């Protein structure tokens, strides 16, 4: 099912499984006001408390089930996934949110800069 995993990292997997699969992260950052931490690996950022609850791919080696990856044209991502749940334009990026997967597109280039996977994304009107 789309929006559940990136490579071998899957939403809901245990923190110990994540670290066993990915090895030592290059960076860890506690997430304010939570019991969670953001872990940075080669091309991926992952947030987890006891389990993984979001994954961000920022490397073209990782792509969705429909072939969208970092560097894909916005029009390709929109064509592949259809009408998003919502679109939010910020200063330098536009977010196309499909509920469990989103694409952040660079406003200057029109290319996907990152892909996020999260149960109940919060781009639209808070948790879905």
């Amino acid at each position: 099912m789309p929006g559940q995993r990136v490579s071998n990292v899957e939403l809901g997997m245990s923190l110990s499984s994540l670290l066993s699969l990915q090895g030592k992260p290059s960076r860890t950052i506690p997430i304010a006001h939570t019991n969670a931490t953001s872990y940075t690996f080669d091309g991926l950022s992952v947030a987890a408390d006891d389990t993984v609850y979001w994954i961000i791919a920022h490397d073209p080696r990782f792509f969705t089930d429909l072939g969208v990856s970092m560097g894909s044209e916005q029009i390709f991502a929109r064509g592949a996934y259809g009408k998003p749940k919502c679109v939010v334009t910020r200063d330098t990026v536009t977010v196309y949110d499909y509920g469990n997967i989103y694409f952040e597109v660079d406003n200057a280039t029109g290319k996907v800069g990152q892909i996020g996977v999260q149960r109940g994304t919060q781009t639209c009107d808070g948790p879905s």
Side-chain angles (χ1 to χ4, degrees), residues 21-43:
L21 281 170
Q22 294 298 114
K24 183 180 178 190
S26 60
R27 185 174 182 193
T28 60
I29 303 170
I31 299 173
H33 312 294
T34 72
N35 293 327
T37 301
S38 171
Y39 300 90
T40 302
F41 301 99
D42 185 27

Side-chain angles (χ1 to χ4, degrees), residues 57-125:
H58 39 82
D59 187 297
R61 292 175 296 160
F62 303 111
F63 50 88
T64 71
D65 59 324
L66 298 178
V68 177
S69 68
M70 180 183 159
S72 293
E73 294 287 341
Q74 175 267 1
I75 195 166
F76 175 70
R78 286 287 304 270
Y81 283 88
K83 184 179 178 187
K85 184 176 171 186
C86 70
V87 177
V88 176
T89 301
R90 299 186 177 135
D91 290 340
T92 60
V93 298
T94 298
V95 180
Y96 296 87
D97 191 322
Y98 290 87
N100 57 353
I101 189 169
Y102 69 86
F103 305 103
E104 200 172 276
V105 174
D106 183 289
N107 292 337
T109 65
K111 294 183 185 255
V112 172
Q114 71 179 28
I115 299 166
V117 175
Q118 176 180 358
R119 289 195 182 107
T121 57
Q122 299 182 18
T123 309
C124 301
D125 297 317

